[in-house]
Amino acid sequence: MLKPVRLIIAALALGGVSPALAADIYEPPVIEYQPPAPIYQEVGGWYIRGDIDYHWPKLRGTEYITYGCCTPDPGTNRFGETSLKGALSLGAGVGYQINRHFRTDLTGDYWFKSKFTGSTSGSCGGNPCVSVDESDMSALLLLANAYVDLGTYYGVTPYIGAGLGGAHVKWGDLRNTIGVNTDVHKGVSSWRFAYALMAGASYCITQNLQADLGYRYSRIEGGRMFQEYSPSGESIGVGPGFDHGINTHEVRGGLRWTFGGNTNCAPEQVAFQPEPVFQPVYK
């Protein structure tokens, strides 16, 4: 009678262990496939540009030296009121878009003639007199520029920038008129240091073509305006004239063409699509 009892007890013991063993059975994880992310092409490439602007130059001061018998008088003489009229300019350049937010270019702008008017006062035969002075100024401005593009919003990309370079300033002959008499002082051309600060925005016309509208402040350092002048047979004359520099405000408009169309205007392009790799993600 003991054997059946033992068998029953053993069966009951095995039945009690079965649920515990079942709980420890390995269940395979739920796996979700994630495709590899594509690598997008960076914005960048060469571009050319053309610009037209209207600029308002302002002289920071003008002066000239007068001579007595043989040496310059002490100090200098200043012009009275002076002005430079506004004028048009044309520009062109070549640049490189380094990435979506940074680009550089080299530009050249030719400033057409701005009319200069001024006056001087002095003594004519012991009597006070005032002259009317007229000339003109033109310049070639060459700059190396860098810009920060501040993001593209609905096709519009605002930017700020700065440039360093030089300007070849050409002064025309100065006509100094007192009454019916006119003296002519030979104008001078010279290279000078220049820099500029810019701000503006570009607009996407196509993937390659952008319109650009902006403001530029430029500063050209001072230099000589005209040579000395001494009337024939007279010992008293006027020495060279100088300006103290030119500040210029410009309103500019132009077009930029980027080769390849890889600009802020173009949608993101896939440069490389990695091969699918099985990467399990456990839930």
Side-chain angles (χ1 to χ4, degrees):
M1 294 296 292
L2 293 177
K3 288 184 178 181
V5 173
R6 292 177 179 174
L7 291 174
I8 293 171
I9 294 173
L12 291 174
L14 290 174
V17 173
S18 297
L21 293 176
D24 293 335
I25 294 176
Y26 172 77
E27 293 183 3
V30 178
I31 298 175
E32 182 179 281
Y33 173 71
Q34 284 190 342
I39 299 173
Y40 290 99
Q41 185 175 358
E42 283 289 333
V43 167
W46 291 97
Y47 65 84
I48 56 175
R49 65 181 298 162
D51 299 281
I52 184 171
D53 81 26
Y54 194 85
H55 58 273
W56 293 269
K58 182 176 178 60
L59 290 166
R60 292 173 55 84
T62 52
E63 62 184 36
Y64 61 96
I65 299 173
T66 56
Y67 288 86
C69 169
C70 307
T71 59
D73 289 344
T76 59
N77 297 280
R78 296 187 179 276
F79 280 81
E81 293 185 0
T82 61
S83 70
L84 273 173
K85 299 296 185 182
L88 287 171
S89 70
L90 294 176
V94 58
Y96 189 79
Q97 183 88 40
I98 297 173
N99 55 43
R100 189 173 293 276
H101 297 288
F102 189 69
R103 58 188 167 90
T104 62
D105 60 31
L106 299 173
T107 57
D109 293 85
Y110 179 75
W111 294 359
F112 293 98
K113 290 180 179 179
S114 295
K115 184 179 179 181
F116 167 82
T117 56
S119 64
T120 60
S121 59
S123 177
C124 302
N127 299 314
C129 57
V130 177
S131 70
V132 175
D133 298 272
E134 296 179 317
S135 183
D136 55 66
M137 184 276 297
S138 59
L140 175 64
L141 180 63
L142 302 177
L143 293 173
N145 309 290
Y147 310 87
V148 176
D149 291 329
L150 304 176
T152 301
Y153 312 92
Y154 302 100
V156 178
T157 306
Y159 66 84
I160 55 175
L164 290 175
H168 187 261
V169 178
K170 181 179 180 181
W171 282 98
D173 293 347
L174 181 77
R175 296 169 296 280
N176 176 262
T177 301
I178 302 176
V180 296
N181 299 317
T182 299
D183 297 331
V184 177
H185 305 256
K186 185 69 175 177
V188 172
S189 299
S190 62
W191 281 100
R192 309 182 186 183
F193 174 73
Y195 65 86
L197 300 173
M198 296 85 78
S202 61
Y203 177 73
C204 300
I205 299 175
T206 69
Q207 291 186 11
N208 298 78
L209 184 63
Q210 298 181 65
D212 193 309
L213 180 64
Y215 162 81
R216 181 169 75 180
Y217 165 81
S218 58
R219 165 71 185 274
I220 299 175
E221 293 301 306
R224 182 173 289 195
M225 296 173 64
F226 55 83
Q227 303 282 17
E228 61 184 78
Y229 172 80
S230 181
S232 178
E234 296 184 23
S235 60
I236 298 177
V238 176
F242 304 87
D243 67 75
H244 294 172
I246 305 169
N247 293 338
T248 306
H249 301 279
E250 306 173 54
V251 175
R252 301 168 56 80
L255 297 172
R256 297 203 313 264
W257 176 270
T258 303
F259 297 95
N262 192 23
T263 67
N264 289 334
C265 300
E268 287 188 315
Q269 302 176 28
V270 176
F272 176 71
Q273 177 67 59
E275 292 294 330
V277 178
F278 185 73
Q279 296 179 338
V281 176
Y282 297 95
K283 292 290 188 176

